Amino acid sequence: MLTSTITSTSAVSSAAGAISMTTGTGLPEYGVLAVIALIALLSVKEILSASEKWSIDLNHSLNMGIGPLLLAFTAIVVFKVAEIIY
């Protein structure tokens, strides 16, 4: 597994002392929204599949939203596990 951690450090001297700022690259903090959207779409798909409104077109439409969110969820899990391990 290849993970990349890039940090940039900046230090500014002033009369009061030095200030250090570090930023890390990775997944944005809004990953929770992607997980919530994935859960919502999966719930809607499950509920609608049992109703009379279900059609193959509706199935394909929901899958177009679920697929990328599932990929994002997988990436979030992998990065969080890698963050804990390393």
Side-chain angles (χ1 to χ4, degrees):
M1 180 183 298
L2 177 64
T3 58
S4 173
T5 306
I6 301 170
T7 59
S8 65
T9 306
S10 162
V12 177
S13 294
S14 66
I19 299 172
S20 177
M21 296 173 45
T22 303
T23 59
T25 59
L27 295 174
E29 298 298 322
Y30 303 110
V32 174
L33 295 177
V35 173
I36 291 171
L38 177 63
I39 292 169
L41 283 177
L42 288 172
S43 300
V44 166
K45 183 175 180 179
E46 186 67 28
I47 292 169
L48 287 177
S49 67
S51 74
E52 60 188 36
K53 305 260 187 218
W54 188 250
S55 69
I56 194 73
D57 293 331
L58 183 59
N59 183 34
H60 291 308
S61 295
L62 288 172
N63 284 341
M64 285 191 318
I66 291 171
L69 288 173
L70 192 58
L71 184 64
F73 175 75
T74 305
I76 290 168
V77 170
V78 167
F79 279 107
K80 291 292 184 181
V81 169
E83 185 178 276
I84 292 170
I85 292 175
Y86 299 110

